[in-house]
């Protein structure tokens, strides 16, 4: 189902594009499918070292976002999504670079299997990337907001930071929570994609593909 969603996203790739590429098992299906049309691309921008390595392994050029300017298209997976195209991302720990590439892209196409569609975000623990020395301070501030932060043990992001996964959240207003979390000093960013949601959500399911816009 992840692969079906990834293959459907190939339709959004046009000749001469530089495509933003996400991270995770669904994004990996997209990368593998991109290999089949790599001659059409001017290049890609990767949201993680892992995705950059996979792209390069297929002989697909990976460019620096500072050299490309804005992108037409970003394709990435999600851990949870709503019908409003608000997302939780960062299960793979790449949330900050994913958010940067999403922000720099005109169109964000999110690809997922339909188990990721939820009525309300928060069952999946919300990842927050934190500067290491701020871990305890940020954790105390998150508790004040009603969450239960847990350190992702043995994990360092591509940016050299830690991840706190926030459990026990029932996210009624994702835009407000995204803003509040980002205002805590020491937070690099959080895995809510609500201020800049997806533009298209492609869901793979038992009965085929469903597209929400
Ligand atoms: C990585 C992500 C991924 O998009 C998210 O975790 C979904 O992963 P998968 O496609 O493996 O289910 O945000 O940081």
């Amino acid at each position: 189902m992840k692969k079906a969603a990834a293959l459907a996203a190939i339709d959004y790739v046009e000749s001469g594009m530089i495509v933003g590429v996400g991270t995770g098992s669904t994004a990996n299906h997209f990368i593998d499918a991109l290999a089949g049309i790599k001659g059409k691309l001017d290049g890609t921008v990767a949201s993680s070292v892992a995705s950059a390595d996979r792209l390069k392994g297929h002989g697909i050029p990976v460019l620096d976002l500072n050299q490309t300017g804005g992108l037409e298209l970003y394709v990435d997976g999600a851990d949870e999504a709503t019908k409003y195209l608000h997302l939780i991302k960062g299960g793979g720990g790449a949330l900050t670079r994913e958010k940067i590439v999403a922000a720099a892209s005109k169109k964000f196409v999110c690809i997922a299997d339909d188990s990721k569609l939820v009525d309300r975000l928060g069952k999946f623990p919300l990842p927050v990337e934190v500067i290491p020395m701020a871990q305890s301070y940020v954790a105390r501030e998150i508790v004040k907001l009603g969450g239960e932060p847990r350190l992702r043990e043995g994990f360092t992001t591509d940016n050299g930071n830690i991840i706190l996964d926030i459990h026990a959240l029932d996210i009624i207003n994702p835009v407000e929570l995204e803003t509040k979390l980002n205002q805590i000093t020491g937070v690099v960013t959080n895995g809510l994609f609500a201020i800049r949601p997806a533009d298209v959500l492609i869901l793979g399911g038992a009965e085929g593909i469903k597209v929400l816009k």
Side-chain angles (χ1 to χ4, degrees):
M1 292 176 190
K2 290 180 177 193
K3 188 173 179 182
L7 291 178
I10 288 290
D11 289 348
Y12 290 82
V13 179
E14 291 171 16
S15 283
M17 268 187 174
I18 298 174
V19 179
V21 177
T23 300
S25 56
T26 319
N28 282 345
H29 286 299
F30 179 70
I31 292 172
D32 296 347
L34 268 187
I37 56 157
K38 63 183 177 187
K40 206 173 158 180
L41 300 176
D42 270 10
T44 58
V45 171
S47 66
S48 64
V49 173
S51 290
D53 288 346
R54 196 175 184 100
L55 287 158
K56 287 178 200 161
H58 284 301
I60 301 171
V62 180
L63 308 172
D64 179 343
L65 185 62
N66 291 309
Q67 308 301 324
T68 61
L71 305 178
E72 290 297 319
L73 177 67
Y74 177 51
V75 179
D76 195 3
D79 299 298
E80 282 185 347
T82 68
K83 65 180 177 187
Y84 305 109
L85 310 197
H86 293 153
L87 313 172
I88 286 184
K89 291 185 44 54
L95 59 157
T96 300
R97 294 188 187 196
E98 291 172 342
K99 210 176 253 197
I100 293 167
V101 184
S105 298
K106 268 195 201 150
K107 185 172 276 182
F108 174 11
V109 175
C110 181
I111 50 178
D113 66 85
D114 64 4
S115 71
K116 304 284 181 76
L117 187 66
V118 296
D119 287 331
R120 202 179 274 183
L121 299 173
K123 203 166 180 191
F124 188 92
L126 175 64
V128 180
E129 181 164 355
V130 177
I131 302 287
M133 76 168 287
Q135 178 187 331
S136 302
Y137 169 73
V138 170
R140 289 193 297 275
E141 293 300 305
I142 287 172
V143 169
K144 285 185 199 164
L145 293 177
E148 288 175 17
R150 288 190 211 152
L151 176 67
R152 198 178 293 184
E153 297 284 351
F155 186 84
T156 305
T157 70
D158 286 347
N159 313 306
N161 297 313
I162 58 163
I163 299 277
L164 293 175
D165 291 303
I166 313 181
H167 295 249
L169 284 175
D170 182 18
I171 304 174
I172 295 162
N173 187 335
V175 170
E176 186 182 75
L177 184 62
E178 182 177 357
T179 306
K180 276 188 183 164
L181 286 169
N182 281 345
Q183 281 167 349
I184 301 172
T185 304
V187 167
V188 179
T189 198
N190 69 82
L192 277 169
F193 284 57
I195 295 169
R196 197 279 181 254
D199 300 302
V200 179
L201 175 60
I202 303 178
L203 295 168
E207 279 147 35
I209 291 292
K210 196 171 159 190
V211 180
L212 307 186
K213 289 186 182 170

